[in-house]
Amino acid sequence: MIRGERVLLRAAERDDLPRFVQWLNDPIVLEYFGNLFPLSLEQEEKGYEAMLQDSSLCSFAVEFKGRRVGGAGLSSMDSRNRNAEVGLFIGVPELWDQGLGRDVTTMLLRYGFEELNLHRIYLRVFAANERAVYLYETLGFRHEGCWRRGESRHGRYHDIPWMSILRAEWSG
Ligand SMILES: CC(C)(COP(=O)(O)OP(=O)(O)OC[C@H]1O[C@@H](n2cnc3c(N)ncnc32)[C@H](O)[C@@H]1OP(=O)(O)O)[C@@H](O)C(=O)NCCC(=O)NCCS
């Protein structure tokens, strides 16, 4: 369990899955995130089972004021190169722009760099996801490249910047 200034990260449990399914089918949450296939509870349960066996994945439920509000994690953890990919979502749009995403990302960076001894943490984001891009830039992530017109959404192709932060660049 990791306690931030505003949110708590704890292990994702089986009884979180119905709520995750609800959020991951919400068009507002999915505007520039995730994949657009409808997600069933059974699929999410299979993903959860696979996650339990996958040591390259570290998955959290996000709680705010005692209520589950989203999910986050580090994936593709590569112990030789000490790299991992970070991802997060706050599933309740009414809670956006209140600092929760910043708190979650800060905790994942601290956990990744200080506890897992990672050296580089990276992510992919839709350029059109301006809120997320701004959040990552202000936390110290740097743009390192872009899949030009790399993914289609809402009837057009979007740039997908890749961003990363090195431990040496991280201010803690
Ligand atoms: C992206 C996401 C995690 C951000 O969470 P959040 O709780 O809203 O984040 P925060 O409130 O900590 O930070 C958002 C910042 O973006 C700013 N912002 C909001 N809209 C913006 C815009 N259109 N352009 C630039 N900045 C914007 C906010 O003012 C805030 O800045 P501040 O910290 O200086 O006040 C959340 O919106 C989300 O879960 N979205 C759906 C899933 C998703 O896109 N996940 C990320 C995929 S890479």
Side-chain angles (χ1 to χ4, degrees):
M1 193 181 288
I2 312 175
R3 207 172 280 280
E5 283 179 18
R6 319 207 49 207
V7 302
L8 179 87
L9 299 187
R10 58 158 176 81
E13 300 287 353
R14 203 175 296 275
D15 71 357
D16 293 318
L17 302 184
R19 201 77 177 93
F20 284 177
V21 168
Q22 191 184 340
W23 290 327
L24 296 173
N25 283 303
D26 179 343
I28 299 174
V29 176
L30 294 181
E31 184 179 14
Y32 294 116
F33 174 67
N35 103 39
L36 292 181
F37 291 140
L39 178 70
S40 68
L41 182 57
E42 194 172 343
Q43 281 171 308
E44 185 66 2
E45 284 170 349
K46 280 190 181 155
Y48 182 75
E49 293 301 331
M51 181 199 84
L52 296 178
Q53 312 297 327
D54 185 349
S55 59
S56 74
L57 189 64
C58 170
S59 187
F60 296 96
V62 179
E63 283 192 9
F64 174 59
K65 294 185 174 170
R67 154 190 181 207
R68 31 169 107 85
V69 297
L74 294 165
S75 61
S76 304
M77 280 194 275
D78 170 349
S79 56
R80 181 175 177 279
N81 297 304
R82 293 168 45 216
N83 276 226
E85 180 166 3
V86 65
L88 71 147
F89 70 92
I90 303 296
V92 186
E94 298 74 34
L95 293 175
W96 291 355
D97 296 337
Q98 296 180 32
L100 306 190
R102 183 173 301 278
D103 203 18
V104 171
T105 314
T106 301
M107 284 191 286
L108 288 174
L109 292 178
R110 185 172 302 141
Y111 181 67
F113 288 135
E114 293 185 354
E115 306 299 336
L116 303 180
N117 196 30
L118 294 172
H119 136 84
R120 174 176 170 274
I121 296 179
Y122 63 94
L123 57 85
R124 289 166 287 182
V125 60
F126 278 82
N129 194 345
E130 293 173 354
R131 176 183 285 104
V133 172
Y134 170 84
L135 171 64
Y136 303 139
E137 285 174 345
T138 53
L139 283 168
F141 282 83
R142 295 195 193 177
H143 289 262
E144 55 181 25
C146 179
W147 282 349
R148 294 175 306 132
R149 305 289 186 262
E151 286 193 35
S152 155
R153 186 134 321 182
H154 313 307
R156 69 182 186 90
Y157 288 99
H158 293 265
D159 287 346
I160 309 291
W162 284 71
M163 303 177 76
S164 71
I165 181 168
L166 304 181
R167 181 172 181 148
E169 295 163 347
W170 179 61
S171 55

